[in-house]
Amino acid sequence: HRQMQSVEPRYFRTEEADIHLPEQSYFEIGLFDYQDNGEDLLIGKSVLDLEDRYYTREYKLMIQNRKVPIEYRPLMCESIDPNTREISTISKGSLEMWIELLDTTTAAEVPVSKLLQPPAMEVEIRLICWTVHDLQMRMCIDDYGDQRENVSIRARCSIDCRTYNGPQPREQETDQHDCCVGDGEFNWRFVFSRVQVTKGV
């Protein structure tokens, strides 16, 4: 499943597989950087010992009670030092997931856990521009190249959000503060309403 232009992909997917223990005791999951041309590049991966987990008493009890804990698996990747050529392992992030290990009989009786993205909720963002202090005047020159004694200033604020559906413009600005010599007072409120966010993600 591919997600483009994201550093926090959200999948909400369930994958099923039939395995045999102990032959297939190690499970590997990885995240890759998609490439239009050529092989996808590994960002990081995590390896789990399924056999050890399956025969753990505590894990069996959690499966029976349908209370499998959510895990945050580190996405590890090998890195080579260009100077010493030494190989080290670094974390490239974490993957939020859980694993249910069921025998064949139980798997036929227990339905697959459905993962649904939490519904979005709308919020309103309000940003207050109160005052400006210690404005540097060194680069403020007039048409003749002479330093100006005072300047007229405005403050701008913009929102870069795909889920912004408010009536306000995406870029807003304050009124103009004239004859500023270093300090300015705006008492201005920027408002961006109807921004959809996903709770708990």
Side-chain angles (χ1 to χ4, degrees), residues 14 22 44 69 91 111 128 155-156 159 174 176 189:
T14 300
S91 175
I128 311 302
R156 289 192 178 97
I159 185 171
T174 65
Q176 184 167 298
R189 178 186 286 112

Side-chain angles (χ1 to χ4, degrees), residues 30-185:
L31 194 67
F32 292 82
D33 183 10
Y34 172 74
Q35 304 293 311
D36 288 324
N37 299 313
E39 186 177 356
D40 296 343
L41 301 177
L42 175 67
I43 297 175
K45 65 181 181 180
S46 189
V47 179
L48 299 87
D49 187 339
L50 300 182
E51 182 181 20
D52 179 70
R53 180 173 304 213
Y54 182 73
Y55 290 109
T56 301
R57 180 175 178 274
E58 290 78 6
Y59 184 79
K60 283 183 172 293
L61 289 175
M62 287 187 290
I63 289 291
Q64 292 174 5
N65 297 324
R66 302 300 305 276
K67 293 183 178 180
V68 182
I70 295 176
E71 302 180 44
Y72 295 88
R73 303 293 306 181
L75 295 171
M76 309 303 294
C77 182
E78 290 185 347
S79 176
I80 302 176
D81 190 306
N83 298 320
T84 64
R85 308 304 299 174
E86 292 183 355
I87 300 177
S88 60
T89 304
I90 60 175
S91 175
K92 292 290 191 70
S94 62
L95 178 67
E96 183 180 9
M97 56 172 285
W98 77 79
I99 290 183
E100 297 176 358
L101 294 173
L102 308 172
D103 60 63
T104 305
T105 303
T106 306
E109 300 173 351
V110 178
V112 177
S113 300
K114 293 183 178 180
L115 296 181
L116 301 176
Q117 182 166 337
M121 60 182 297
E122 284 192 347
V123 300
E124 181 171 282
I125 300 174
R126 302 172 184 172
L127 188 144
I128 311 302
C129 182
W130 197 256
T131 58
V132 176
H133 295 290
D134 302 324
L135 183 66
Q136 297 296 317
M137 305 285 290
R138 290 183 302 168
M139 303 299 294
C140 299
I141 57 176
D142 58 21
D143 295 338
Y144 301 100
D146 298 324
Q147 184 171 337
R148 301 177 60 175
E149 295 182 357
N150 58 70
V151 293
S152 298
I153 60 174
R154 293 183 182 183
R156 289 192 178 97
C157 182
S158 62
I159 185 171
D160 182 11
C161 178
R162 291 177 296 177
T163 59
Y164 170 58
N165 300 309
Q168 303 87 358
R170 287 181 173 268
E171 182 173 297
Q172 303 175 27
E173 64 178 24
T174 65
D175 56 359
Q176 184 167 298
H177 187 89
D178 296 316
C179 301
C180 175
V181 293
D183 296 335
E185 184 172 320

